[in-house]
Amino acid sequence: MNKLTKVSLIASLLVSASVSASADEFIPSNISATLERNLATQMQEMMVVAQQELSLSLQAQLSESLFETSLEQAVDVADSEQSNNAEITSAMANQ
């Protein structure tokens, strides 16, 4: 009986050792798979944020360019009206 107990104890230790060894191999692969998923998710989020920032930057630049163009056109119109008024005034003064 004593011998049978020792054999079963040794057998159970060997079985538990092999199970823990395969569990040890499983844990790093599980951790690496989780890390890869987390990194992929973070990369996708970063890409979305970068796209949004680029879009906002382009919109701001376009708005600024349109504003400057319309401002230049308004100045040109004001200058031409002022020169027309000056011509009318000088024509009236000559009469």
Side-chain angles (χ1 to χ4, degrees):
M1 185 83 151
N2 196 9
K3 209 175 207 186
L4 181 59
T5 306
K6 286 181 183 179
V7 169
S8 65
L9 181 61
I10 291 173
S12 67
L13 286 174
L14 288 174
V15 168
S16 67
S18 75
V19 168
S20 70
S22 39
D24 288 342
E25 292 173 11
F26 177 72
I27 289 173
S29 64
N30 189 21
I31 290 172
S32 65
T34 303
L35 286 174
E36 286 176 9
R37 271 186 272 129
N38 288 340
L39 287 174
T41 302
Q42 289 176 356
M43 288 292 289
Q44 288 175 345
E45 290 173 359
M46 287 174 58
M47 289 299 294
V48 167
V49 169
Q51 287 173 345
Q52 289 173 344
E53 289 180 358
L54 179 62
S55 175
L56 290 173
S57 174
L58 289 174
Q59 287 175 359
Q61 289 177 4
L62 181 61
S63 296
E64 185 178 335
S65 175
L66 288 173
F67 177 75
E68 288 174 358
T69 302
S70 65
L71 187 61
E72 288 173 1
Q73 288 175 349
V75 167
D76 289 344
V77 168
D79 286 345
S80 69
E81 286 178 359
Q82 188 176 17
S83 98
N84 285 341
N85 286 341
E87 288 174 7
I88 291 172
T89 305
S90 69
M92 290 173 75
N94 288 338
Q95 288 180 357

